[in-house]
Amino acid sequence: QQQQQNDQNNQDNNQDRQQQDKQQNQDNKDQQDQQQQPNPQQEQPQDKQEDEQQQQQKISPQDAQRMLEAIQADEKETQDKVNKEKAKALQRQQIEKNW
């Protein structure tokens, strides 16, 4: 009789554990689903921030033109330097060949 009671208690304990495991698995699955689904409330502030950043990042046409001219001037200087170095190297080669 005591053995039967122990068996019944073990069965009850096992059933309780199984139910707890099922509940835990369901909770974990729900949590994963929530993490994977984008939350519209969270996205809205991000969209507002992005809009504000885009508005702040706009530059005037005059500033854009000045930036473009500065970049072009830098590029021209760089090209001039490269061409001078090429010319020097070419002169060295010619001098070496004449000797």
Side-chain angles (χ1 to χ4, degrees), residues 1 4-5 11 19 39 57 66 75 81 86:
Q1 190 176 8
Q4 285 177 348
Q5 250 183 350
Q11 281 181 344
Q19 285 178 342
N39 189 347
Q57 290 177 353
R66 275 182 273 182
E75 180 65 21
K81 285 181 184 178
K86 284 182 182 178

Side-chain angles (χ1 to χ4, degrees), residues 41-53:
Q41 293 174 349
Q42 288 176 351
E43 284 181 16
Q44 190 174 5
Q46 274 185 337
D47 288 343
K48 285 182 181 178
Q49 287 176 353
E50 287 175 8
D51 288 344
E52 289 174 6
Q53 286 177 353

Side-chain angles (χ1 to χ4, degrees), residues 15-70:
Q15 286 177 350
D16 287 343
R17 283 189 199 133
Q18 285 178 349
Q19 285 178 342
Q20 288 174 350
D21 287 345
K22 283 181 183 178
Q23 183 63 38
Q24 183 67 32
N25 286 342
Q26 184 64 37
D27 289 347
N28 287 343
K29 187 177 183 222
D30 289 345
Q31 200 171 31
Q32 285 178 348
D33 288 345
Q34 278 183 341
Q35 289 174 354
Q36 288 177 354
Q37 291 178 348
N39 189 347
Q41 293 174 349
Q42 288 176 351
E43 284 181 16
Q44 190 174 5
Q46 274 185 337
D47 288 343
K48 285 182 181 178
Q49 287 176 353
E50 287 175 8
D51 288 344
E52 289 174 6
Q53 286 177 353
Q54 286 177 354
Q55 288 176 355
Q56 291 173 355
Q57 290 177 353
K58 290 182 181 177
I59 57 174
S60 68
Q62 294 85 2
D63 287 340
Q65 185 65 34
R66 275 182 273 182
M67 290 170 63
L68 178 61
E69 289 171 0

Side-chain angles (χ1 to χ4, degrees), residues 88-99:
K88 284 182 183 178
L90 188 60
Q91 283 179 346
R92 284 187 202 125
Q93 286 178 350
Q94 288 176 350
I95 292 171
E96 290 173 10
K97 289 181 182 178
N98 287 337
W99 287 101

